């Protein structure tokens, strides 16, 4: 079974940048990749997704600031409200989607903390 591992999280100041990486599903066809985040007291939120043909989908809260590639999530202009545990995920299917139930494989998470 696919095993995903996230890396690249850490503490950053507002306005800073981070690149998160997700390893474990680089050579599979017909898989979509996605990033989700969760903070205490709030539901899990789909952040970004990319399909096997390169189509992407973003949450409104991160459009223009985050960019997803097959193996990485580039985060720019970080805000305190971006603070969360970030999870990468992979699922069978060719389309980008922010719906968590369409993902079968999940990483353990990497913490992103944005504070001054």
């Amino acid at each position: 079974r696919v095993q995903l591992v996230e890396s690249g999280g850490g503490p950053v100041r507002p306005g800073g940048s981070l690149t998160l990486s997700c390893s474990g599903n680089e050579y599979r066809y017909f898989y979509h990749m996605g990033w989700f985040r969760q903070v205490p007291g709030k539901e899990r939120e789909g952040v970004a997704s990319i399909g096997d043909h390169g189509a992407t989908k973003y949450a409104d809260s991160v459009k223009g600031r985050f960019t997803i590639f097959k193996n990485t999530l580039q985060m720019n202009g970080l805000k305190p409200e971006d603070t969360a545990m970030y999870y990468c995920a992979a699922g069978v299917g060719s389309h980008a989607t922010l719906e968590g139930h369409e993902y079968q494989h999940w990483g353990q998470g990497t913490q992103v903390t944005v504070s001054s």
Side-chain angles (χ1 to χ4, degrees):
R1 203 165 182 84
V2 175
Q3 184 174 1
L4 304 178
V5 179
E6 305 96 337
S7 62
V12 297
R13 294 182 177 181
S17 298
L18 282 176
T19 300
L20 305 183
S21 297
C22 181
S23 63
N25 197 46
E26 294 183 9
Y27 301 104
R28 288 179 176 266
Y29 293 114
F30 303 109
Y31 269 69
H32 50 266
M33 301 292 296
W35 288 89
F36 295 77
R37 65 188 182 187
Q38 190 165 30
V39 299
K42 300 192 69 174
E43 295 184 343
R44 182 180 61 191
E45 176 188 21
V47 175
S49 179
I50 184 168
D52 66 336
H53 296 299
T56 58
K57 186 177 180 65
Y58 297 93
D60 289 340
S61 59
V62 306
K63 286 181 179 178
R65 300 188 297 119
F66 292 10
T67 305
I68 187 172
F69 304 92
K70 279 294 186 181
N71 300 316
T72 61
L73 178 69
Q74 178 65 48
M75 306 187 296
N76 298 319
L78 285 163
K79 305 175 180 179
E81 52 263 44
D82 294 318
T83 296
M85 183 72 73
Y86 283 73
Y87 302 88
C88 70
V92 177
S94 60
H95 65 286
T97 176
L98 298 180
E99 298 183 21
H101 65 84
E102 296 192 16
Y103 292 84
Q104 293 80 51
H105 311 287
W106 295 81
Q108 295 300 303
T110 185
Q111 179 68 39
V112 172
T113 302
V114 186
S115 62
S116 59

